[in-house]
Structure formats: structure tokens, C-alpha cells
Amino acid sequence: MTWLCNELAEKRGWDVHLLTFTLPEREPSFPLSARVTLYREGMDGSGWSLRKLGNLWRRIQCIRNCVTRLRPNVVLSFLDSNNLVVILSTLGKQVRVVVSERIDPSQQSFPWIAKIMRAVLYRRAAAIAVQSDRVNQYFLGRGFGQTKIIPNPVTARFLSNQCDYATKRIVAVGRLAEQKGFDVLIESFAKIAKQFPDWSIDIYGEGGSRESLSKLIQLNDLHERVRLCGACSDIEARLVNYSVFAFPSLYEGFPNALAEAMASGLSCVAFSDVSGVDDLIEDGESGLLSKHGDKECFAQKLAELLESEEGRSEFGKTGKRRVADRFSEEVVLNLWKEVLLA
């Protein structure tokens, strides 16, 4: 959202106002342009606990007052529970409302009352921005005809990367959580490690699964070949040190790490039937797809990449072109302009 606000305000000259419910003393996670007017109301944000729902009326009133005062051409909301509150807040207002889904709802644990509210209230939205064809099909299948696929953009600094396909190093990036499937990656690599003795894996990220993943690495006698590198703030600079990107995530909203790796030219392997993955990777063209959750298949696809430098180069270069053509900042910004101005 910060990127979109900055782009619209600085490059397109839009009058952009950003309303959040974070505490006033909490600094934004990403730099916000001085051209964007920020309102931090300090109320408890999205969620469905009784404590958070207790703030619902105050949040609705805050949004209604803001819309009345600013008289915007369009209101854009991000995140599922926020989307419902924004639609409720604008009932009776003559303003276009666009909601943005940032996850795969088919994989989401959403309270039953929220599911009912979404089924009813989303029909009042002028448009529903989704990040992948998989999520688009989810909403189309439920009778929502106003969806628009808008992926996350990949910044130019990744597209300027060049990697060496002779490098025998694999990289993976993400939170150390069950969703990300790093246990599958470790076990898959264990199946082919003896076949490829010169190869190693670095996993960047932190999370609650670090201890269990460390034990799994030890159990498979991979402690000298698989490293848990922790979180890093300069992943775009590090990606050039690898030739293969492994993405074993089981579900996503949009796979930013995969898009960034493809933009950097790495050859990639991932599970199919994951939101955003099928939009990025054409199997056998811009990377390789494994049957979802299948360790044997993932190991086989990974081995295909490791055994051929020529194949890595072909997949990497094709993937880079695909991302540049479909997921660049300019392309994604134009998609947002189209849905906001419709």
C-alpha cells in the first residue's frame, strides 16, 4: 500500500490520503512520501476478537467522518476484515469503493460471521482487486463479477540483477513457518544430496520453526550443506550469489520472494496450485512446478535444475523476461490506475 500511495502521489500527482488504525507512535514499516497525508487514529486494527470488535463502531465513525470531510473520488481498502469495515462505513455515501484481497481465501481461517459478511458486503464494492488467477477464480465461482487481477510489483533493483548459472548454490527465502514448507525442501534435498555433492542450500528468514528445521537438518546429516541464515535486509544483493531458487510454500497471497528471484534471473522450482505461483511460472518454460506437497516430485524437479547449467540459464532468462513484461512497477501501477479510475 505504501508503494502505491507513493507512486500515485509522486508520479501521477494524485491527492492521496492514507488512514490507518495503528498507534501514533508506531513508525510506518516503509518510507511514505511527504506528498501523502497520513492519519493514524490509534485504534485497534483489523481482527475478530471481542476486544477488537468492541472498537468497530468507533472505526466506522472515523472512516465515515473522513469520507465526509475529504469527499474522495475513490476509497481503496486493503485486507479482508478492513474491507468489511470500510464497506459498512461507506453505506449511503456516494463514493466508489475498491477492496483488495491480499491472501488466498480458500486457505484462510475466517470466522463464519465474517464469511457471511464478505458474501454480502463485497457485492457492494465497485471492484475487488485480487493478486492471482487462483483467487480470481475463487470469487468468480461465488458470483462476484467485479474482480480485477493486480499482482504485487517487482522493483527495478531486482530486474537489474545478473546471476551466474555455474554457481552450485540454492537459496530459499521466507518466514520459518509451516506454511513456507522449508521442511519439505530439506527432506527433498536429502533425497538427492548424494547425487549432487557440490550443491548447498541457504535459507533466509526467521520464525517459530527454526528449532524444528535445525533438528531436521541434523537428522538428515545436512548440517554442512543446509544453512539457516536468519533474516536479512539486502536480499536483492544476495540473490546474485545463487543460481537456483527453491520455493516450497504451501499457500500464499502472492509469492513476492518467488517474483523477486525470477526478476533476478534465478531458475526456480515451486509447488503448483499455490496462489500466484502459476501466474509466475509456466511449467517447463519459465521454471519448474512440482505436484503440490509432494516431496518426491519436488526432489525430482529440483534435481532437473541442478543437473543442467544450460537448463538453469534457459529457465532463468525466460522467467526474468516474464516478470519484466507482466510484473514491473509500471505495469502494476497502470493496472491500479485502471481499476481506481473505472
Side-chain angles (χ1 to χ4, degrees):
M1 177 172 273
T2 303
W3 169 83
L4 181 58
C5 288
N6 290 344
E7 291 291 307
L8 291 175
E10 292 185 349
K11 294 185 178 180
R12 297 296 184 269
W14 288 25
D15 184 14
V16 179
H17 298 256
L18 177 60
L19 172 64
T20 76
F21 293 110
T22 56
L23 296 174
E25 61 269 19
R26 181 179 173 183
E27 291 298 319
S29 300
F30 301 96
L32 189 65
S33 168
R35 294 178 178 270
V36 178
T37 305
L38 176 63
Y39 307 88
R40 285 184 284 189
E41 295 300 328
M43 298 180 213
D44 212 351
S46 61
W48 295 99
S49 67
L50 288 176
R51 178 175 63 85
K52 290 181 177 180
L53 285 175
N55 275 329
L56 179 59
W57 179 248
R58 287 200 303 131
R59 290 161 62 194
I60 289 175
Q61 287 298 108
C62 177
I63 295 170
R64 286 186 70 85
N65 291 339
C66 192
V67 170
T68 299
R69 184 174 69 254
L70 296 174
R71 299 175 64 187
N73 299 103
V74 61
V75 175
L76 171 62
S77 173
F78 274 53
L79 303 177
D80 42 34
S81 53
N82 283 340
N83 294 341
L84 300 180
V85 174
V86 167
I87 295 173
L88 282 171
S89 303
T90 54
L91 291 177
K93 298 285 187 181
Q94 298 300 311
V95 63
R96 177 180 171 83
V97 176
V98 175
V99 297
S100 178
E101 276 286 337
R102 313 307 292 175
I103 60 171
D104 181 352
S106 69
Q107 302 294 326
Q108 180 188 28
S109 177
F110 213 30
W112 64 269
I113 189 172
K115 290 181 179 179
I116 294 173
M117 290 175 66
R118 179 168 61 191
V120 173
L121 292 176
Y122 269 29
R123 299 187 190 282
R124 292 182 170 271
I128 303 170
V130 300
Q131 296 180 289
S132 69
D133 182 62
R134 178 183 174 88
V135 177
N136 188 49
Q137 293 303 319
Y138 174 91
F139 282 106
L140 289 177
R142 286 156 178 78
F144 294 93
Q146 74 277 40
T147 56
K148 176 72 173 180
I149 301 174
I150 307 180
N152 284 349
V154 177
T155 61
R157 67 179 186 271
F158 288 98
L159 289 166
S160 64
N161 274 346
Q162 299 292 332
C163 62
D164 181 359
Y165 296 107
T167 302
K168 296 183 177 182
R169 299 177 70 192
I170 304 163
V171 63
V173 180
R175 286 182 296 107
L176 304 186
E178 184 177 355
Q179 167 197 349
K180 299 300 183 180
F182 292 130
D183 56 331
V184 176
L185 172 60
I186 293 166
E187 292 179 335
S188 297
F189 184 63
K191 296 177 185 296
I192 62 173
K194 290 183 180 179
Q195 183 182 348
F196 301 98
D198 297 331
W199 284 84
S200 62
I201 301 177
D202 287 345
I203 301 174
Y204 290 94
E206 278 297 348
S209 297
R210 171 177 272 277
E211 184 176 350
S212 62
L213 292 175
S214 295
K215 290 179 179 179
L216 189 61
I217 291 169
Q218 294 294 327
L219 181 65
N220 287 280
D221 195 28
L222 294 172
H223 55 281
E224 293 185 352
R225 300 182 60 186
V226 178
R227 296 193 307 161
L228 300 179
C229 302
C232 70
S233 59
D234 61 342
I235 191 63
E236 69 275 7
R238 303 192 186 209
L239 287 176
V240 297
N241 298 315
Y242 305 88
S243 62
V244 172
F245 185 83
F247 192 75
S249 190
L250 300 173
Y251 63 93
E252 291 286 335
F254 184 80
N256 293 315
L258 176 61
E260 291 165 355
M262 291 178 67
S264 298
L266 277 72
S267 54
C268 299
V269 58
F271 284 130
S272 62
D273 297 320
V274 174
S275 175
V277 169
D278 298 296
D279 301 67
L280 285 160
I281 294 180
E282 289 182 293
D283 190 28
E285 296 291 333
S286 54
L288 293 177
L289 293 177
S290 164
K291 183 179 178 181
H292 191 271
D294 190 324
K295 297 175 187 176
E296 294 287 346
C297 186
F298 197 88
Q300 177 188 341
K301 297 293 184 178
L302 183 59
E304 286 185 43
L305 292 182
L306 304 193
E307 65 188 5
S308 172
E309 180 181 337
E310 182 180 354
R312 293 194 296 275
S313 174
E314 190 65 31
F315 287 139
K317 292 174 181 178
T318 302
K320 190 182 188 74
R321 288 194 298 269
R322 182 174 178 83
V323 171
D325 290 342
R326 302 189 182 194
F327 302 91
S328 69
E329 291 179 293
E330 190 64 25
V331 168
V332 174
L333 182 59
N334 285 334
L335 290 174
W336 274 115
K337 284 178 58 184
E338 181 180 328
V339 76
L340 293 174
L341 292 175

